[in-house]
Amino acid sequence: MKHTISSKITLIIVLFLGLLSQAQSKKWTLEECVDYAIKNNISIKQSELDTKSASIEKSAAIGNFLPTFNINGSHSWNIGLNQNITTGLLENQTTQFTSAGINSNIAIYNGMQNQNRLRRANLAIVASEYQLSKMKDDISLNVANAFLQILFNKENLKVQKEQLSNNEKQLLRSQELVNAGVVPRGDLLDIKATVATNNQAIVTAENALLISKLSLAQLLQLDNFQDFDIADANYDAKESSTLLQTPAAIFAKAKEERVELKIAKTNLEIAERDLKISKGAYQPSLHGFYSLSTRAGYSDRIVGIDGTGNPILAPALPVFKQFDNNKGHSFGFQMNIPVLNGFSVRNNVDRSKIALDRSKIAFSQQELDLERNVYTAFTNAKGAMKANESAIITLEARQEAYNYAKEKFAVGMLNAFDLNQSETLFVNAQSEVVRTKYDYIFRVKVIEFYFGIPIIKKQ
C-alpha cells in the first residue's frame, strides 16, 4: 500500500515537473506575439474603453428623443398655524399631509439638435473603431520589429560563436606551427588576443540578445519575462511584389486602406455636426408637457357650517379616496424663442467654426503625412534591398580573402596581425549581411503595411 502511494506521488511530481519544464521552454512565434499583444496591451484596452464610451454617448443621444417621465411624492407634518392644503383654510393644529404626482416632458422641435447629436454619436463610434484598428496595427508593427531584432541578435551570436570556434582551431594550429618553428611566437600571442576579443564579442552579442528579448517581453507586458524566448524562424530576404509598384500607386492604395485618413475624415464630419448642433440653438424650441397631481390630509375635514357660523367637522376620508377626489391634470405646449442670451449661442457657433477649420487642416496634414510616410517607406525598402545585395557580394569577397589569408598564414607567408585584419573584415561582413537582411524584411513589412497587407497573414 505504501509502495503504491509512493509511486503515485512520484508520478504526479514527474508530470508536474514535465509541465513546468514545458511551460518554461515555450517559444513564442511571431503570430502568438502579435495576438497576445493585441489582447493584452494597455493602450489597446484603453481604446476599447473609448469605443464603449462612444456607444454610451449614442445611447444618450437616442434617449433625447424619448419623453421624460418622473414620479414625485412628499409627506409632511405641520405643527401650529398652517394652511390646510385640502381646504385652503389656516388652522392651528398638528396634522399630516401627503401629496403625489407624475410629470412628463417631450421635445417636439429644438432646431434638429437631437438628430444631429445622434448622427454625431454614430460618427464618434466609427472614429473610435478606426482608432482602435490603428492602435492594433501600430502595436503589431512594433512587435514585428522587436521580434526581428531578436532573430538578428540570435544569428549575430551564432556568427560570433562560429568565429570563436574557428579561431580556437587556429590557435591550436598556430601552437603546432610555433613548436615546429614555422611561425614566430609573437603570431601565437596575436591569435590568443584574437580569441579573447572573440569572447568579448560573444558576451556583447549575448547581452544584446537578452536586452532584445526583454524589450519584446515588456512590449507584450508579460509578468514572467525572465524565461521568455521566441521560436527560431528562417525569414528569407525575398523581393516583395509590393516594391514592383510605384510609390504613387502605393499611396493611392494607402488612402483607401489606412485608417489614419479615415480617422481624420470622420473627425471632420464630427466637427461639421458640432457646428450644426450649435447653430440649432438659434432656432425656437417647442416642448410638450403633462402632469398629474393629487393630495391627502389626515386632519378632520369641514363638511358644513352650523347656525352659529362654526364649521362642522367630520373625520378625514380614506387616503385613496382623497387621492381620487383631489387629483388634477395639467398639459400643454411650451415654446422658447432665443432673443438675447449674452452671446452664448453665437460664441458656441464661432467655437464650432474654429474647430471645423482645425479639422480641415488636420485632414490635409494627415494626407500629406501619409504621402510622405509612403514615399519614405518605399525609399527605405529599396535602399535596404540594395544594401543587403551589396552586403552579400561583400561577404563573398571577404570569405575568399579570408580563406586565402589562412592559407598564406599556414605556410608562414602572412603574419598573425594581417590574418586578424582579414578575419575582422570577414566577421563584420557576416554581421552586416544579417543586419541588412532583417532590416530589409522589416522595411518590406512597413511598405506592405501601407499597401493594406496585414503584418500577420492569417491562414
Side-chain angles (χ1 to χ4, degrees):
M1 181 66 179
K2 292 182 179 180
H3 178 73
T4 303
I5 294 176
S6 176
S7 299
K8 290 182 178 179
I9 294 175
T10 303
L11 179 61
I12 292 173
I13 294 175
V14 170
L15 291 175
F16 175 77
L17 292 176
L19 292 174
L20 181 61
S21 176
Q22 182 178 4
Q24 291 178 346
S25 62
K26 171 181 172 56
K27 294 189 175 182
W28 295 63
T29 64
L30 178 58
E31 291 79 4
E32 289 174 337
C33 289
V34 172
D35 289 340
Y36 187 89
I38 290 176
K39 293 177 182 177
N40 297 276
N41 185 268
I42 292 178
S43 298
I44 291 179
K45 290 181 178 180
Q46 290 176 340
S47 294
E48 290 174 346
L49 293 177
D50 292 338
T51 302
K52 293 181 180 179
S53 297
S55 299
I56 295 174
E57 292 301 320
K58 179 181 179 179
S59 178
I62 294 175
N64 290 334
F65 289 94
L66 303 177
T68 62
F69 184 85
N70 297 287
I71 300 175
N72 59 77
S74 66
H75 185 86
S76 61
W77 286 262
N78 298 326
I79 301 174
L81 185 63
N82 288 282
Q83 185 180 30
N84 189 317
I85 63 172
T86 301
T87 64
L89 299 177
L90 292 174
E91 300 176 357
N92 193 348
Q93 60 177 334
T94 299
T95 185
Q96 303 178 50
F97 296 102
T98 299
S99 63
I102 59 175
N103 60 77
S104 179
N105 191 294
I106 185 171
I108 300 174
Y109 180 79
N110 63 349
M112 301 293 291
Q113 293 186 73
N114 288 345
Q115 289 83 350
N116 287 321
R117 287 193 179 98
L118 178 58
R119 295 187 180 99
R120 185 195 187 283
N122 288 328
L123 290 172
I125 291 177
V126 174
S128 63
E129 290 174 349
Y130 284 150
Q131 188 64 44
L132 177 60
S133 177
K134 181 181 182 300
M135 185 68 66
K136 291 181 179 180
D137 288 343
D138 292 343
I139 292 298
S140 299
L141 200 61
N142 292 336
V143 169
N145 186 27
F147 191 91
L148 293 175
Q149 185 64 39
I150 294 176
L151 290 179
F152 160 69
N153 288 329
K154 281 189 172 185
E155 288 202 21
N156 186 53
L157 180 59
K158 290 179 182 178
V159 170
Q160 300 298 334
K161 288 183 176 180
E162 181 179 353
Q163 197 58 44
L164 174 63
S165 176
N166 293 334
N167 286 331
E168 288 176 342
K169 294 178 182 178
Q170 189 65 44
L171 178 62
L172 295 176
R173 175 62 178 162
S174 298
Q175 184 67 59
E176 295 174 354
L177 294 175
V178 169
N179 295 337
V182 177
V183 297
R185 184 173 179 79
D187 287 351
L188 177 63
L189 297 177
D190 285 337
I191 296 295
K192 288 183 178 180
T194 301
V195 171
T197 302
N198 287 149
N199 282 314
Q200 292 178 353
I202 289 176
V203 172
T204 301
E206 288 175 341
N207 290 338
L209 176 59
L210 177 60
I211 292 174
S212 61
K213 287 181 180 180
L214 292 178
S215 298
L216 179 55
Q218 290 175 352
L219 183 60
L220 299 179
Q221 295 170 348
L222 297 175
D223 294 331
N224 184 18
F225 55 83
Q226 289 82 2
D227 300 323
F228 175 78
D229 197 3
I230 65 171
D232 294 332
N234 184 20
Y235 289 91
D236 296 327
K238 299 180 295 184
E239 184 176 2
S240 173
S241 59
T242 309
L243 294 180
L244 301 178
Q245 303 285 336
T246 63
I250 297 175
F251 173 59
K253 186 69 172 179
K255 290 174 67 176
E256 298 176 359
E257 298 292 338
R258 294 304 309 137
V259 296
E260 289 90 339
L261 276 183
K262 295 179 181 179
I263 293 173
K265 184 178 180 181
T266 305
N267 289 335
L268 176 59
E269 294 175 351
I270 290 175
E272 291 173 346
R273 287 295 165 187
D274 285 336
L275 179 59
K276 291 182 178 181
I277 292 172
S278 59
K279 285 184 176 180
Y282 278 128
Q283 301 183 33
S285 61
L286 179 64
H287 290 76
F289 64 87
Y290 169 79
S291 65
L292 168 67
S293 61
T294 185
R295 59 190 180 277
Y298 298 87
S299 60
D300 292 339
R301 58 192 176 91
I302 300 175
V303 297
I305 303 296
D306 59 15
T308 61
N310 294 321
I312 301 173
L313 302 178
L317 292 175
V319 173
F320 288 104
K321 181 65 175 177
Q322 292 187 61
F323 283 156
D324 183 59
N325 292 341
N326 297 329
K327 65 178 180 293
H329 302 269
S330 175
F331 56 89
F333 300 96
Q334 179 181 359
M335 175 175 285
N336 182 35
I337 301 175
V339 178
L340 182 63
N341 45 33
F343 305 115
S344 61
V345 175
R346 189 184 71 178
N347 291 337
N348 287 336
V349 171
D350 291 341
R351 292 189 188 98
S352 298
K353 288 181 179 179
I354 294 174
L356 178 59
D357 291 338
R358 291 182 187 275
S359 297
K360 291 179 179 178
I361 295 173
F363 178 77
S364 300
Q365 184 63 50
Q366 188 62 65
E367 192 171 21
L368 292 174
D369 291 344
L370 181 60
E371 183 178 19
R372 183 183 67 251
N373 292 338
V374 167
Y375 276 77
T376 302
F378 184 84
T379 303
N380 289 339
K382 281 286 190 180
M385 180 179 66
K386 293 179 180 179
N388 182 247
E389 293 173 350
S390 299
I392 293 174
I393 295 174
T394 302
L395 176 61
E396 293 173 353
R398 294 299 182 192
Q399 175 76 64
E400 294 180 3
Y402 180 54
N403 291 337
Y404 182 64
K406 288 194 296 183
E407 293 175 359
K408 293 178 66 176
F409 179 78
V411 296
M413 297 177 60
L414 188 72
N415 59 39
F417 177 79
D418 292 333
L419 176 65
N420 291 339
Q421 291 295 314
S422 178
E423 178 191 18
T424 300
L425 293 175
F426 172 59
V427 173
N428 291 339
Q430 286 180 301
S431 298
E432 186 65 11
V433 168
V434 175
R435 186 194 68 79
T436 55
K437 170 187 174 182
Y438 285 105
D439 182 61
Y440 169 70
I441 292 173
F442 177 71
R443 300 296 181 183
V444 169
K445 287 286 185 182
V446 173
I447 200 65
E448 290 179 346
F449 173 74
Y450 284 116
F451 199 69
I453 300 175
I455 301 298
I456 301 300
K457 299 178 181 179
K458 301 296 183 182
Q459 301 295 332

